[in-house]
Amino acid sequence: MEVADQAEQLREYVRGSRRQARVLAVTSGKGGVGKTGTSVNLSIALAMRGKDVVLLDADLGLANVEVLLGLNSLYNLQHVIHGERSMPEILADGPGGIKVVPGSSGIAKLADLGPNARQRVIDGMQELQDRADFILIDTMAGISQNVAGFAAAADEILLVVTPEPSSIVDAYAMVKTIRLMRHDAVFKLIVNMAASEQQARAVAGKLMTVSQQYLGHKLHYLGYVPRDPHVSHGVMQAVPFLLKYPAAPASKAIETLAASLISQRDAVSGRGGGFFRRFAETLGLASNA
Ligand SMILES: Nc1ncnc2c1ncn2[C@@H]1O[C@H](COP(=O)(O)OP(=O)(O)O)[C@@H](O)[C@H]1O
Ligand SMILES: [Mg+2]
């Protein structure tokens, strides 16, 4: 653990303040842009810096977190929904010290839950928020009520975009949708598969300009990950590239993203703690619709 982290822990201890995880939703307009890879490796990078990290797999796609990590969990969110297991009981140990909440198809049905089941999910997630420093949520692509609901409720939205024009257009649509649900949503852009830093900044700049101009919404640039063959090698071996190829350009970039997130702590302090209340409200809206 770094000295700064220890000092912070000590201050928290002295203040007697309870820990409240920062909830980061990793999302995008279109699929295949690198959300799952970014979620997994960024979670590990944060854990390697001494943070307690929970990664919630809310992606039902074929290449989800569990597949990417080669996990084969006995229990998942479905068991929490049905009251058969508690949230801590379904936590799986991931690589690099991260904890994984296996999502299951239960995620898609969250909006349709009855009051008891919904309360179990919300209580369980609240419990996670009390024990972790960061909760990352790997969402599905697309603008379903649940995806946008997760993202809108999060403290920060890590919006992954690639230089492809369709990815930029869809990312903008995502900003528009989430903003309707939450006008003060905080978006941080990650440009993935960039050819260079200049290209990444140009892509981010385009989105930031359009969003400012047409929505009056300011987006933030978190950083970029270069296109790097090590990423797909890692996928094929079901080992996160950060652990398998720590010196690879993509790994260095993920390290930088993690450091930036940690250093931005003050920028978001005071926002924490509301995630599950906001999420419950979103679910309420969804089920009343
Ligand atoms: N920075 C990168 N460089 C090269 N390939 C990448 C990069 N990021 C993602 N990929 C590849 O793109 C594909 C989709 O990544 P994934 O994380 O599953 O996207 P998503 O979760 O958004 O659908 C994977 O095959 C992965 O290997
Ligand atoms: Mg994915």
Side-chain angles (χ1 to χ4, degrees):
M1 191 184 295
E2 287 170 16
V3 175
D5 291 333
Q6 285 174 352
E8 176 56 30
Q9 274 202 345
L10 195 60
R11 275 195 296 275
E12 273 180 15
Y13 182 74
V14 171
R15 280 200 303 268
S17 64
R18 212 171 49 150
R19 187 150 63 155
Q20 281 283 312
R22 272 168 72 179
V23 180
L24 315 180
V26 181
T27 193
S28 69
K30 87 195 228 357
V33 299
K35 283 182 302 302
T36 302
T38 303
S39 306
V40 166
N41 289 282
L42 192 53
S43 294
I44 295 171
L46 290 167
M48 282 164 42
R49 286 166 187 263
K51 303 297 177 187
D52 286 329
V53 183
V54 174
L55 174 56
L56 171 61
D57 185 5
D59 182 355
L60 306 177
L62 291 178
N64 60 17
V65 170
E66 287 196 87
V67 174
L68 205 62
L69 295 180
L71 298 177
N72 204 345
S73 310
L74 219 43
Y75 302 111
N76 56 47
L77 201 58
Q78 199 68 34
H79 297 89
V80 176
I81 291 171
H82 291 141
E84 293 159 11
R85 288 286 177 280
S86 69
M87 192 66 97
E89 282 172 339
I90 69 162
L91 278 185
D93 287 318
I98 66 170
K99 300 282 184 191
V100 177
V101 178
S104 93
S105 56
I107 289 283
K109 303 193 187 84
L110 279 184
D112 308 321
L113 298 180
N116 291 340
R118 184 180 305 175
Q119 198 56 48
R120 280 195 287 269
V121 172
I122 290 166
D123 289 349
M125 289 186 169
Q126 184 66 58
E127 208 170 328
L128 294 182
Q129 197 172 17
D130 292 344
R131 352 172 126 196
D133 298 308
F134 286 90
I135 298 176
L136 273 77
I137 304 174
D138 178 28
T139 69
M140 279 171 285
I143 311 178
S144 81
Q145 182 78 332
N146 272 309
V147 174
F150 264 128
D155 298 314
E156 296 151 71
I157 298 156
L158 306 187
L159 185 59
V160 182
V161 60
T162 71
E164 246 184 273
S166 63
S167 162
I168 302 175
V169 170
D170 291 355
Y172 173 72
M174 197 68 185
V175 171
K176 219 167 139 181
T177 304
I178 292 172
R179 200 186 119 78
L180 282 177
M181 303 175 88
R182 177 137 179 243
H183 67 90
D184 64 344
V186 175
F187 292 93
K188 296 185 175 171
L189 299 175
I190 297 177
V191 181
N192 188 27
M193 306 193 206
S196 65
E197 179 170 9
Q198 292 90 307
Q199 186 193 37
R201 285 190 180 274
V203 167
K206 231 178 261 179
L207 254 178
M208 291 158 87
T209 304
V210 177
S211 172
Q212 183 67 56
Q213 202 163 349
Y214 294 102
L215 306 173
H217 202 100
K218 185 174 157 56
L219 311 178
H220 306 270
Y221 174 63
L222 184 65
Y224 78 105
V225 180
R227 180 177 281 285
D228 180 348
H230 293 98
V231 174
S232 32
H233 296 165
V235 171
M236 281 185 286
Q237 296 156 357
V239 180
F241 57 81
L242 186 68
L243 297 176
K244 181 89 184 179
Y245 309 105
S251 300
K252 295 288 178 207
I254 290 283
E255 296 275 7
T256 305
L257 292 180
S260 301
L261 273 176
I262 291 172
S263 72
Q264 288 169 359
R265 183 194 170 99
D266 287 339
V268 295
S269 63
R271 294 181 62 88
F275 172 74
F276 297 109
R277 180 183 48 73
R278 286 191 295 268
F279 183 55
E281 285 167 7
T282 314
L283 288 183
L285 290 178
S287 60
N288 294 339

